[in-house]
Amino acid sequence: LQNVADRFGATYTRYADDLTFSSDNANIYEALKQITAIVKSHGFAINPAKTRIRTNAVRQMVTGIVVNKKLNVPRAFYKQTRAMLHDVHTNGITAAAKRFLQIPTISNSGILFFLNVLQGNIGYIGFVRGKEDPIYLKMQQTYSEVRKKLVEL
């Protein structure tokens, strides 16, 4: 697979069973034929439903991360996390946790679960975008303020 990538001027990466080939080569369909043949010769199959060829004009995702110009999380993930933070700030932790978990009543463990999800989402944004990213830093600061208010209660 690496030899095919080299011949077509592509970068080959793999995560578990996800194979990714990145290239500006217009002959990518010929490369795909060769890649498919190699994969089949080793007893595996390419899943056509998961095979995508994307130009740089559209969102390119690899294992859930946007990889166009820089690594990024999908916009929907960012918006959901930002909405969760806004809901906590505007309506309070209990209302936000109820809305997120879609339940009429909430226990302390439900609130803790919600906070852990929120913290995990923010951490993931920082992991992908970088810990110095202004969006991550703002979310982290807002989350810290929320946690501080809870401790004061």
Side-chain angles (χ1 to χ4, degrees), residues 122-142:
I122 294 167
Y124 181 67
I125 290 169
F127 174 74
V128 173
R129 294 180 62 100
K131 299 292 184 185
E132 300 302 317
D133 180 76
I135 290 173
Y136 164 74
L137 291 173
K138 184 175 181 181
M139 287 183 148
Q140 187 61 44
Q141 178 183 358
T142 304

Side-chain angles (χ1 to χ4, degrees), residues 80-98:
Q80 179 189 28
T81 304
R82 187 182 68 187
M84 291 165 68
L85 274 171
H86 177 75
D87 201 6
V88 168
H89 188 267
T90 305
N91 302 310
I93 186 70
T94 302
K98 283 181 188 178

Side-chain angles (χ1 to χ4, degrees), residues 5-54:
D6 291 344
R7 279 196 309 271
F8 286 90
T11 301
Y12 163 58
T13 56
R14 185 182 79 229
Y15 177 76
D17 63 346
D18 290 329
L19 310 177
T20 302
F21 295 85
S22 304
S23 176
D24 291 332
N25 191 326
N27 230 356
I28 197 68
Y29 291 99
E30 179 58 35
L32 182 58
K33 286 180 191 175
Q34 292 181 25
I35 291 163
T36 302
I38 291 169
V39 168
K40 283 183 180 180
S41 74
H42 286 85
F44 298 99
I46 300 287
N47 183 344
K50 292 185 176 184
T51 302
R52 294 170 182 81
I53 296 177
R54 300 281 189 250

